[in-house]
Amino acid sequence: MSNDRMILRNENSIYMFYEIVEQLEPASILDMGMFLKRVGSVSRKIMDREVPKEVVLDGVDFFPEVSFPIWNTIYNGIETAEEYFGRMDSKRYDLAAVFGIEELKKKIPLSDIAERAAKASKYVLVDQWLPEWSGQKGFIRAVDIKVEEDIYFLMEFGA
């Protein structure tokens, strides 16, 4: 696979990620797919927005073949997708972000990604609606948020 495919370039996605972090003020975030890595960030800050250093930020890396040491300072913990999906237990987070699902589901089945994100977090932010999301245990609701021509979904799941 070309490394180019892992890169995310949509500025609206960057805005939405930071806006939801600012609005929800989560104490912990699961970055499933390592969004910050995929947009090329070298810190938790992009322009005037940032994920506060006291927020636990863990990443699930679907593209470990592309690695730079700086990402070890951005994230509190990083696991490969194989490691994360290979174990049954899942730490609980306030927010999970799943962006660029088309490339992620080439590595791990979408049903597994949706199930683990729903189990791992009360809120899940995605950049693409797929029916698998609402079929997850504990699904409460999804709110669609439009930014210019893009639509994002913030889903809420019960414990």
Side-chain angles (χ1 to χ4, degrees):
M1 180 185 90
S2 163
N3 292 340
D4 227 24
R5 293 179 139 177
M6 81 154 221
I7 296 170
L8 297 174
R9 293 181 172 87
N10 189 332
E11 289 181 22
N12 290 337
S13 294
I14 295 169
Y15 168 81
M16 182 52 52
F17 176 82
Y18 283 99
E19 185 65 21
I20 293 299
V21 167
E22 190 175 291
Q23 295 294 321
L24 292 180
E25 298 181 342
S28 58
I29 301 171
L30 177 62
D31 186 353
M32 192 177 281
M34 291 184 59
F35 173 73
L36 291 178
K37 169 184 175 177
R38 294 173 71 197
V39 297
S41 182
V42 293
S43 74
R44 288 183 173 208
K45 185 174 185 175
I46 295 180
M47 299 195 315
D48 64 339
R49 314 291 288 282
E50 77 179 295
V51 176
K53 63 179 177 276
E54 59 273 4
V55 172
V56 172
L57 177 61
D58 290 338
V60 178
D61 195 351
F62 283 69
F63 309 97
E65 64 276 9
V66 178
S67 182
F68 290 102
I70 191 69
W71 292 317
N72 294 324
T73 65
I74 295 172
Y75 292 92
N76 293 87
I78 298 173
E79 288 185 90
T80 66
E82 290 74 22
E83 292 167 340
Y84 183 78
F85 288 94
R87 59 184 171 77
M88 298 309 296
D89 65 322
S90 185
K91 185 176 161 184
R92 198 80 175 131
Y93 297 85
D94 297 323
L95 173 65
V98 186
F99 285 87
I101 195 75
E102 289 304 317
E103 291 303 319
L104 302 183
K105 70 182 185 180
K106 290 177 182 175
K107 300 214 173 198
I108 301 288
L110 176 60
S111 57
D112 293 353
I113 294 170
E115 181 182 347
R116 286 300 289 269
K119 278 184 187 174
S121 185
K122 179 176 179 164
Y123 293 101
V124 179
L125 177 64
V126 298
D127 61 352
Q128 182 181 359
W129 179 259
L130 297 165
E132 287 83 354
W133 293 118
S134 62
Q136 295 309 308
K137 183 179 177 189
F139 178 81
I140 296 172
R141 66 185 169 143
V143 176
D144 60 309
I145 306 161
K146 188 170 183 174
V147 179
E148 294 177 349
E149 298 305 312
D150 298 314
I151 300 176
Y152 299 86
F153 298 90
L154 181 62
M155 295 172 287
E156 184 178 356
F157 293 92

